[in-house]
Amino acid sequence: MPTSSSTSHMSEEFGALVPWGDPNWYRGYSSPYYTDSHIQWRARIRSFVDTHIMPNCHTWDENKAMPSDVYVAAYRAGWLPGCVGMWPTKYLAEDPNAPKPPAGGFDAFHELILWDELSRCGSGGVVWGFAGGISIGLPPVLHFGSEAMKAKVAGPCLRGEKIICLAITEPYAGSDVGSLRATAKLNAEGTHYVLNGEKKWITNGVFADYFTVAVRTGGPGMGGISMLLIEKDMPGVICKQMQCMGVWASGTTYITFEDVKVPKKNLIGRENEGFKYIMYNFNHERWGFVVQANRFARVCLEESAKYAMKRRTFGKRLIEHPVIRWKLAEMARQVEATHAALETLTYQMCTMNKTEQNAKLGGDIALLKVQATKVFEYCAREAAQIFGGASYVRGGQGEKVERLYREVRAYAIPGGSEEILLDFGVRDAVRRYESQSKM
């Protein structure tokens, strides 16, 4: 856990030092949160991003796919296993050359750095293409799957040899998880389920080898939901890549299940307890959205600042126009404030166990996700205004701004839409207050 002793490390600057282009601890500020281990981890991730992602980002996005060997490269570089919210040493043991966790152990600030540095590429599609599936599709297996299931699935996915995704959302049910319709009926012999239904907007689905799928095995509502592990080669699994506004490289997929026979051993945890398993990882998923969305807002700010210092209009640089400085200041104050709130919640994640996190942090994380996506939307718009016509072209100097402008909705809607999360944040606060008042 981060300690105050880490403050002695904070005088060392890191990165290009573009105004607000990185969090303030990169710029020589002292912080109680980061240690030598975090500094070394940051360098590891940045090196991979600068070498392997930045030069290829545009091509992968335009191709709407990523080469399969990049996942193994991410594992060999030592960061892919960190995407699941812990360092799963047990499931890496069979590889004698498995990457080691960061010195002193892997904590929530290591994961914050991981998602933040990945998101510097300025492509939600590439970030999700790398880790959008494993980060939410594998945890239900790791936390609730049988030992045999974990032995089969975890290692290959963590090593980047196989892809796993989470399939909950349907054409008829998104944030309203309790209303999903895909059904899995146990046969008379009790040997397998027969799965029928549809899933929509599934990240990594078209590339996936495994699908962690929410299905209805019981009655209506939350109490009738279970989770099954589906394998790509099971007859009746049909995947079609969707043509979406943004996050192209992530393989957004429409999945149809037609009389898919699923062995009973592929049940994750207990029957009709799937809703609990879904909720178990929701805070972590939404927290990840916060990290990514705020870095994307920061990318818009950084790109705008660099452009404003070189672009000339009316005989002077853009940065010399007061209205442009005003735009940059508005972007900066929102990005910096959001990151400060993110670090506060991340520290709570370091000091609470998973049960306590889920009991206490849900409402605050929900509100912070809304904060982050609204800031992202604001910064994408303002960056487009600063870049002008250059932000309307795919590729070139406005490439990141054009792409991120299209990807705002991919962050404001999934994981709980802004409207639903705002309502949840208040309901959660009132519930906790009233329960304490009765004590």
Side-chain angles (χ1 to χ4, degrees):
M1 184 173 65
T3 67
S4 58
S5 65
S6 63
T7 58
S8 61
H9 304 296
M10 293 303 103
S11 60
E12 184 177 346
E13 295 176 338
F14 183 84
L17 301 180
V18 175
W20 306 290
D22 281 309
N24 59 30
W25 70 284
Y26 291 48
R27 307 195 300 266
Y29 282 42
S30 295
S31 171
Y33 302 127
Y34 303 101
T35 66
D36 279 337
S37 177
H38 298 107
I39 292 170
Q40 294 162 11
W41 177 253
R42 177 182 63 182
R44 182 194 303 189
I45 309 305
R46 179 154 294 204
S47 176
F48 185 91
V49 172
D50 286 348
T51 303
H52 297 282
I53 299 181
M54 290 290 198
N56 300 303
C57 207
H58 179 73
T59 300
W60 294 343
D61 208 64
E62 291 294 317
N63 290 345
K64 299 184 178 180
M66 293 166 57
S68 59
D69 61 352
V70 299
Y71 304 102
V72 174
Y75 168 69
R76 291 298 175 201
W79 63 262
L80 187 64
C83 292
V84 297
M86 58 180 180
W87 196 267
T89 302
K90 176 180 178 181
Y91 306 106
L92 301 174
E94 61 188 72
D95 178 8
N97 299 311
K100 305 298 182 185
F106 186 86
D107 65 20
F109 281 99
H110 288 98
E111 192 181 5
L112 187 159
I113 293 167
L114 168 56
W115 289 111
D116 189 56
E117 285 288 328
L118 282 181
S119 300
R120 286 179 54 249
C121 73
S123 171
V126 169
V127 172
W128 289 5
F130 267 109
I134 190 173
S135 64
I136 56 177
L138 191 57
V141 173
L142 295 179
H143 292 302
F144 305 107
S146 67
E147 289 303 316
M149 182 185 295
K150 287 184 275 193
K152 176 180 180 178
V153 173
C157 289
L158 292 165
R159 294 192 298 269
E161 299 162 1
K162 299 287 185 180
I163 305 297
I164 190 170
C165 68
L166 182 69
I168 297 176
T169 302
E170 299 181 352
Y172 341 94
S175 297
D176 184 12
V177 176
S179 295
L180 63 82
R181 300 183 190 177
T183 60
K185 298 182 179 179
L186 194 62
N187 69 343
E189 296 75 23
T191 57
H192 65 264
Y193 294 93
V194 179
L195 170 60
N196 284 282
E198 300 163 299
K199 297 294 178 179
K200 194 173 184 180
W201 300 290
I202 305 306
T203 300
N204 293 179
V206 75
F207 316 133
D209 300 285
Y210 299 110
F211 307 82
T212 303
V213 184
V215 299
R216 187 163 302 285
T217 50
M222 297 176 261
I225 295 173
S226 298
M227 299 198 80
L228 295 175
L229 180 71
I230 308 301
E231 300 172 44
K232 177 178 64 175
D233 56 1
M234 290 178 175
V237 178
I238 304 168
C239 296
K240 181 180 179 181
Q241 187 159 356
M242 298 172 64
Q243 302 304 311
C244 298
M245 181 189 297
V247 294
W248 293 345
S250 68
T252 308
T253 307
Y254 194 106
I255 306 174
T256 304
F257 300 111
E258 296 181 352
D259 293 327
V260 181
K261 291 184 178 180
V262 186
K264 190 176 181 182
K265 66 181 180 181
N266 282 36
L267 176 68
I268 297 173
R270 297 181 180 179
E271 193 172 274
N272 297 328
E273 293 191 9
F275 189 82
K276 178 175 67 176
Y277 306 152
I278 294 169
M279 293 299 108
Y280 189 80
N281 200 50
F282 248 164
N283 283 342
H284 179 255
E285 178 184 355
R286 289 168 178 162
W287 173 86
F289 273 109
V290 175
V291 182
Q292 295 165 53
N294 202 54
R295 172 55 87 161
F296 289 149
R298 192 183 292 279
V299 169
C300 291
L301 169 57
E302 179 184 13
E303 293 296 302
S304 297
K306 291 190 295 187
Y307 186 73
M309 286 187 278
K310 68 179 182 180
R311 171 72 169 170
R312 299 185 70 86
T313 63
F314 302 100
K316 55 185 178 182
R317 296 183 303 162
L318 281 180
I319 197 70
E320 296 175 64
H321 294 281
V323 69
I324 299 300
R325 295 197 298 271
W326 179 87
K327 287 179 179 294
L328 294 173
E330 282 291 301
M331 295 162 73
R333 70 172 181 82
Q334 295 179 59
V335 170
E336 292 290 284
T338 304
H339 196 84
L342 171 61
E343 289 181 323
T344 297
L345 279 182
T346 303
Y347 181 72
Q348 306 313 309
M349 293 166 63
C350 287
T351 60
M352 297 179 184
N353 62 36
K354 190 73 171 181
T355 301
E356 192 175 6
Q357 290 177 39
N358 285 341
K360 294 182 177 180
L361 301 183
D364 288 339
I365 290 175
L367 294 182
L368 190 56
K369 178 182 181 288
V370 177
Q371 168 73 9
T373 57
K374 283 181 175 290
V375 171
F376 178 21
E377 182 167 16
Y378 178 88
C379 290
R381 182 196 184 280
E382 291 301 286
Q385 292 299 108
I386 291 172
F387 271 81
S391 71
Y392 199 65
V393 180
R394 296 214 314 257
Q397 57 189 343
E399 173 194 333
K400 290 180 182 178
V401 173
E402 184 277 331
R403 182 167 54 229
L404 290 172
Y405 191 91
R406 286 187 283 105
E407 295 186 336
V408 168
R409 298 270 68 78
Y411 281 80
I413 297 172
S417 68
E418 291 178 349
E419 294 79 7
I420 287 174
L421 293 187
L422 287 169
D423 179 66
F424 169 69
V426 175
R427 287 189 293 107
D428 183 67
V430 171
R431 176 190 60 80
R432 292 184 60 206
Y433 171 75
E434 291 183 339
S435 65
Q436 291 169 353
S437 298
K438 294 175 181 177
M439 294 176 63

